[in-house]
């Protein structure tokens, strides 16, 4: 089955039609969305651009990362634009050293900034604001493509790329080379490029690649490989997270702040948010929304970071590794729960407001409908699905933490099993705590976006 699956996928990736056959329709839809955001209805629930982006696309995109990794990045209109700019006016300069070193921190900052801006300036609910975000990203992509080589923007600056890189580590699909075939290869066409396709746009060398984080499954390496070494295969979701050799604090930090961002997105949708905001305004002595939200935002960001830091400090008393190292290693264990919380939040938008995408699309052609409801499923059904996701995410994170502990700390002890379990216990408690907090928030009534 695996061999047949690999054969079918390789045929697709080797095709000269891939990924172009998917890029062009995506680019056309993207242009329509941008046009609608900028010139369509100023009402978000009547604007096809905002409905399509924030209710449909943004709701399902994390799911694609879990199933097929960063395939979206291969067909993304921004990536296509970057390639187009490079082809005609690109200077192909090397990536600046500071981007290689601090790129993930820049991505962390941009992701937090966009989330903060959304709530303070109402970017999502304001179609023109959403359009401005898209134009700013487009400007960044053009600038990056004109000056730097390959897809510098996608690898080192795109906030969605950072999110997809984290989630793709848990993906059920992986692209890897065959060491026995690659060890005698001196061509390196998979990285440098060849007659069939350019080199890897994401600066990856398949011969040594051991992570999905930066692979966008564009198929260029498969087209170029003279030894038929590269294969695409199924794997156990989250497996890559168990054996990370060089954990990075910046990536672990992104994993934990995603948890904080999900908290923020959920809290501000609660029916009690207005009342809580009122009491906070009294406490702070101001009715400036930017100030009150920033305080809530900072607290929500700090809680999971602080909890992971404390847990890592406790674990460091047990396994003799530093708090810093434990934070970096076990931050990856939160990714499955991150994904579950993120998707549980997105399910509310998709399933409670999904029909608004259809109605907005009809309005674009002058067909106006006055629906009684935008929901695709009942509130109880959505809630059951949300709790199921959180349960599966908690199990995935707990098991991932267990494997990380066994891989890193078991072999160092005279009693490997005991040492691994003792290092693991603080993190499973943290995962249970974060899960229960998510469950409590999802039990509270939420308001719709559209």
């Amino acid at each position: 089955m695996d061999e047949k699956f690999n054969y079918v996928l390789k045929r697709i990736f080797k095709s000269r039609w891939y990924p172009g056959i998917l890029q062009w329709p995506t680019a056309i839809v993207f242009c329509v969305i941008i046009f609608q955001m900028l010139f369509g209805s100023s009402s978000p629930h009547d604007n096809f651009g905002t409905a399509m982006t924030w209710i449909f696309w943004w709701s399902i995109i994390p799911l694609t990362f879990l199933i097929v990794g960063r395939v979206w990045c291969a067909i993304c209109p921004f990536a296509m634009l970057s390639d187009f700019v490079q082809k005609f006016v690109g200077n192909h300069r090397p990536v600046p050293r500071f981007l290689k070193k601090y790129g993930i921190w820049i991505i962390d900052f941009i992701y937090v900034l966009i989330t903060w801006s959304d709530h303070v300036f109402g970017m999502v609910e304001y179609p023109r604001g959403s359009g401005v975000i898209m134009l700013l990203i487009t400007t960044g992509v053009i600038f990056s493509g004109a000056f730097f080589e390959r897809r510098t923007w996608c690898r080192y600056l795109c906030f969605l790329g950072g999110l997809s890189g984290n989630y793709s580590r848990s993906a059920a699909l992986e692209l890897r080379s065959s060491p026995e075939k690659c060890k005698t290869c001196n061509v390196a066409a998979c990285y440098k490029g060849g007659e069939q396709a350019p080199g890897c746009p994401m600066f990856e060398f398949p011969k040594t690649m051991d992570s999905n984080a930066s692979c966008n499954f564009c198929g260029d390496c498969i087209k170029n490989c003279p030894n038929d070494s590269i294969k695409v295969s199924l794997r156990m979701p989250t497996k890559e997270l168990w054996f990370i050799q060089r954990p990075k604090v910046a990536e672990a930090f992104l994993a934990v702040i995603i948890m904080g961002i999900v908290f923020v997105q959920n809290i501000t949708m609660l029916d009690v948010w207005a009342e809580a905001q009122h009491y906070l305004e009294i406490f702070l002595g101001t009715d400036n929304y930017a100030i009150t939200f920033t305080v809530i935002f900072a607290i929500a960001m700090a809680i999971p970071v602080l909890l992971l830091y404390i847990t890592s400090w406790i674990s460091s008393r047990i396994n003799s590794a530093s708090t810093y190292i434990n934070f970096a290693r076990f931050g990856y264990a939160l990714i499955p729960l991150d994904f579950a919380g993120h998707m549980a939040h997105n399910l509310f938008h998709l399933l409670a407001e999904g029909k608004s995408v259809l109605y907005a699309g009809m309005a674009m052609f002058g067909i106006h409908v006055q629906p009684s409801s935008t929901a695709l499923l009942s509130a109880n059904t959505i809630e059951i699905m949300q709790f199921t996701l959180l349960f599966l995410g908690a199990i995935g994170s707990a098991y991932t933490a267990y494997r990380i502990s066994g891989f890193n700390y078991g072999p160092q002890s005279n009693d490997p099993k005991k040492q691994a379990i003792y290092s693991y216990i603080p993190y499973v408690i943290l995962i249970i705590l974060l899960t229960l907090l998510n469950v409590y928030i999802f039990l509270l009534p939420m308001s719709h976006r559209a």
Side-chain angles (χ1 to χ4, degrees):
M1 172 111 181
D2 285 348
E3 289 298 323
K4 185 176 181 180
F5 181 79
N6 180 45
Y7 173 77
V8 171
L9 282 183
K10 287 185 75 169
R11 287 291 300 271
I12 293 173
F13 290 146
K14 277 190 172 183
S15 170
R16 65 188 180 92
W17 298 103
Y18 178 86
I21 196 171
L22 299 176
Q23 285 178 324
W24 282 106
T26 305
I28 292 170
V29 173
F30 176 78
C31 290
V32 172
I33 286 173
I34 291 289
F35 181 85
Q36 282 293 304
M37 285 178 173
L38 295 174
F39 304 107
S41 172
S42 59
S43 174
H45 67 272
D46 288 330
N47 190 292
F48 178 75
T50 53
M52 186 69 176
T53 300
W54 303 120
I55 295 176
F56 179 73
W57 175 80
W58 187 247
S59 293
I60 66 169
I61 195 68
L63 184 61
T64 68
F65 299 149
L66 181 70
I67 297 174
V68 293
R70 294 185 65 165
V71 168
W72 165 259
C73 296
I75 65 173
C76 173
F78 291 123
M80 187 178 180
L81 176 62
S82 178
D83 293 345
F84 181 82
V85 170
Q86 280 188 346
K87 183 176 181 180
F88 292 98
V89 297
N91 289 322
H92 304 282
R93 297 179 181 177
V95 180
R97 188 175 301 176
F98 82 93
L99 272 186
K100 290 183 178 180
K101 187 175 182 180
Y102 299 110
I104 189 66
W105 286 112
I106 295 172
I107 285 171
D108 291 354
F109 175 77
I110 293 174
Y111 191 35
V112 170
L113 179 63
I114 287 179
T115 305
W116 177 85
S117 300
D118 169 25
H119 288 274
V120 172
F121 301 111
M123 306 295 267
V124 171
E125 285 77 15
Y126 179 49
R128 307 296 180 260
S130 295
V132 168
I133 290 177
M134 295 299 184
L135 290 180
L136 288 174
I137 294 174
T138 301
T139 302
V141 170
I142 292 173
F143 180 88
S144 174
F147 284 93
F148 304 118
E149 62 180 336
R150 309 198 187 198
R151 293 182 184 171
T152 297
W153 174 272
C154 304
R155 175 66 187 264
Y156 296 106
L157 292 168
C158 179
F159 76 95
L160 183 59
L163 180 70
S164 65
N166 260 25
Y167 286 169
S168 294
R169 291 179 182 275
S170 298
L173 198 68
E174 71 173 5
L175 182 149
R176 297 291 186 271
S177 64
S178 304
E180 63 277 6
K181 293 183 179 180
C182 290
K183 65 182 179 181
T184 58
C185 177
N186 297 316
V187 179
C190 56
Y191 180 80
K192 296 178 180 178
E195 295 181 0
Q196 302 299 320
C200 176
M202 300 295 287
F203 305 92
E204 284 294 302
F205 192 8
K207 182 177 181 178
T208 59
M209 189 174 74
D210 60 358
S211 171
N212 268 17
S214 297
C215 177
N216 65 0
F217 292 89
C218 64
D220 287 347
C221 58
I222 295 177
K223 293 181 176 72
N224 287 324
C225 180
N227 304 312
D228 198 32
S229 169
I230 301 170
K231 61 181 180 180
V232 181
S233 56
L234 293 172
R235 66 179 184 184
M236 173 74 71
T238 78
K239 185 177 181 180
E240 182 180 313
L241 302 171
W242 307 345
F243 311 113
I244 294 177
Q245 299 283 354
R246 296 178 297 277
K248 298 178 181 178
V249 168
E251 293 176 345
F253 184 79
L254 178 60
V256 74
I257 65 166
I258 289 172
M259 185 71 65
I261 287 174
V262 171
F263 286 159
V264 169
Q265 301 285 27
N266 287 331
I267 290 169
T268 54
M269 287 176 57
L270 298 178
D271 289 346
V272 299
W273 166 241
E275 183 179 354
Q277 182 187 346
H278 173 69
Y279 286 118
L280 183 60
E281 288 173 351
I282 295 174
F283 177 77
L284 295 175
T286 177
D287 60 356
N288 187 307
Y289 180 77
I291 295 176
T292 55
F293 174 76
T294 301
V295 171
I296 291 292
F297 189 66
I299 293 173
M301 293 294 100
I303 287 174
V305 174
L306 185 60
L307 287 175
L308 179 59
Y309 181 85
I310 293 172
T311 305
S312 299
W313 178 83
I314 294 171
S315 188
S316 70
R317 307 299 98 184
I318 300 169
N319 55 39
S320 300
S322 69
T323 303
Y324 178 91
I325 292 298
N326 278 317
F327 186 100
R329 284 173 175 165
F330 285 96
Y332 293 94
L334 295 181
I335 290 177
L337 185 57
D338 274 346
F339 169 80
H342 194 164
M343 275 305 302
H345 170 86
N346 287 0
L347 272 182
F348 178 83
H349 291 301
L350 181 65
L351 301 179
E353 308 172 53
K355 288 183 182 178
S356 63
V357 179
L358 173 62
Y359 299 142
M362 294 169 65
M364 188 170 59
F365 295 100
I367 305 172
H368 297 281
V369 179
Q370 296 296 329
S372 58
S373 171
T374 59
L376 294 172
L377 295 175
S378 69
N380 287 338
T381 303
I382 296 172
E383 209 169 64
I384 290 171
M385 294 175 70
Q386 288 175 321
F387 295 147
T388 302
L389 272 172
L390 290 173
F391 174 76
L392 293 174
I395 294 296
S397 281
Y399 186 69
T400 298
Y402 175 75
R403 295 302 298 261
I404 290 172
S405 184
F407 176 68
N408 290 284
Y409 302 116
Q412 301 174 6
S413 171
N414 293 329
D415 189 346
K417 188 173 181 179
K418 183 177 180 180
Q419 177 77 355
I421 291 175
Y422 282 179
S423 298
Y424 163 71
I425 289 174
Y427 291 100
V428 76
I429 293 173
L430 172 64
I431 290 164
I432 292 172
L433 178 62
L434 291 173
T435 303
L436 291 176
L437 183 57
N438 271 289
V439 168
Y440 173 73
I441 292 175
F442 280 111
L443 281 171
L444 300 175
M446 289 188 177
S447 58
H448 291 202
R449 171 176 287 166

